[in-house]
Amino acid sequence: MAQAKISAKASEVAPQQQQQQPCAGQLRGRFYRSTSMADRSSRLLENLDQLELRVEAFRDAASAMEQEKETLLEMIHNIQNSQDMRHISEGEREELNLTANRLMGRTLTVEVSVETIRNAQQQESLLHATKMIDEIVNKLLDDLEDAKIRLLSLYGACTSDVPAGPIDQKFQSVVIGCAIEDQKKIKRRLETLLRNLENSEKSITLLEHQKSSLRQSCNTKQD
């Protein structure tokens, strides 16, 4: 009697176990589906990685175009204000200025803008750094030599090379708080300002030399 009850109980449990256990085909299907999802995810991630490289290359190319535009405008401006332009006939100077203005106008028609993503602290640091440079620029005409020394100290704070003079430690701490792209732009702006100052000094030196030569010539004639 006991053996019969055990056999009957076993026969009731067996069908239930068969219902609960999935067949081999179901397990195989789940396994293949999981593998397929992983492959798709891997391919999508690989595509995004490649696109990220292209996006960065695109931004770099746009930044290079920004710099080229700044360089072209600076070169045109320097030609218009060069000493050579002052030592040609008025008609030639007018014709060259028309050409320079045409080139400047065509350059300005190209709009290139690479926006920099900043957090609140980086935005504040950029404004502070810009203000410090502007304060010196606004006083350029008051004291050219002092402005050059101060700009050099700011530039020394932006370069990894050993500076020739003192470094503005306060400015350096401000620039470090800026975004990397802003740090590069700040450095480029200071380089441009220093080049313009150097050109101005050369023009002033040449003008003073010409005045001195003229005075000597006048004195010689009087003697």
Side-chain angles (χ1 to χ4, degrees):
M1 179 67 76
Q3 184 65 35
K5 289 182 178 180
I6 293 173
S7 299
K9 188 67 175 176
S11 63
E12 292 176 359
V13 172
Q16 295 177 359
Q17 290 178 341
Q18 290 179 357
Q19 292 177 359
Q20 293 174 356
Q21 293 179 354
C23 65
Q26 289 176 327
L27 286 174
R28 193 180 300 114
R30 289 182 181 179
F31 176 75
Y32 287 146
R33 184 163 60 252
S34 177
T35 302
S36 178
M37 289 174 64
D39 289 342
R40 289 194 186 97
S41 177
S42 178
R43 286 197 301 270
L44 291 171
L45 180 60
E46 184 178 352
N47 289 337
L48 287 174
D49 287 341
Q50 293 175 355
L51 286 171
E52 183 175 10
L53 294 176
R54 292 182 63 179
V55 168
E56 290 306 314
F58 173 65
R59 286 178 60 86
D60 290 342
S63 295
M65 290 181 66
E66 271 189 327
Q67 295 179 42
E68 178 65 10
K69 180 180 178 180
E70 293 173 3
T71 301
L72 288 171
L73 292 174
E74 182 183 352
M75 293 175 67
I76 296 170
H77 176 77
N78 288 339
I79 289 176
Q80 287 183 305
N81 293 276
S82 65
Q83 284 294 325
D84 289 338
M85 287 287 281
R86 301 175 185 178
H87 292 84
I88 58 177
S89 68
E90 185 175 348
E92 290 174 325
R93 183 164 55 251
E94 182 178 354
E95 183 178 351
L96 291 174
N97 273 322
L98 287 174
T99 302
N101 288 332
R102 177 176 59 81
L103 292 175
M104 185 171 290
R106 288 179 60 81
T107 304
L108 290 172
T109 60
V110 179
E111 292 291 340
V112 184
S113 178
V114 180
E115 297 296 331
T116 302
I117 300 175
R118 312 178 185 92
N119 57 35
Q121 182 180 354
Q122 291 172 334
Q123 180 68 27
E124 184 178 354
S125 296
L126 175 62
L127 293 175
H128 193 182
T130 303
K131 181 179 179 182
M132 293 177 72
I133 298 175
D134 289 343
E135 287 177 352
I136 299 176
V137 172
N138 292 334
K139 297 179 181 179
L140 273 176
L141 297 178
D142 297 337
D143 191 338
L144 198 64
E145 186 61 30
D146 179 67
K148 181 180 179 181
I149 293 173
R150 293 179 63 187
L151 286 174
L152 283 171
S153 69
L154 298 189
Y155 179 74
C158 299
T159 179
S160 57
D161 300 332
V162 179
I167 296 176
D168 191 315
Q169 300 290 342
K170 181 180 178 181
F171 185 74
Q172 187 177 54
S173 64
V174 172
V175 172
I176 290 175
C178 296
I180 299 298
E181 292 179 355
D182 288 330
Q183 293 180 19
K184 295 177 181 179
K185 290 181 179 180
I186 290 171
K187 183 180 178 181
R188 288 205 308 269
R189 184 187 178 192
L190 290 170
E191 288 173 343
T192 301
L193 287 170
L194 287 169
R195 279 198 305 270
N196 290 337
L197 272 178
E198 185 177 356
N199 292 333
S200 297
E201 288 180 334
K202 288 180 179 179
S203 297
I204 293 173
T205 301
L206 181 60
L207 183 60
E208 291 298 326
H209 177 72
Q210 290 173 345
K211 288 181 178 179
S212 177
S213 299
L214 181 60
R215 283 195 297 267
Q216 289 179 359
S217 176
C218 292
N219 291 335
T220 300
K221 289 181 179 180
Q222 289 178 356
D223 294 339

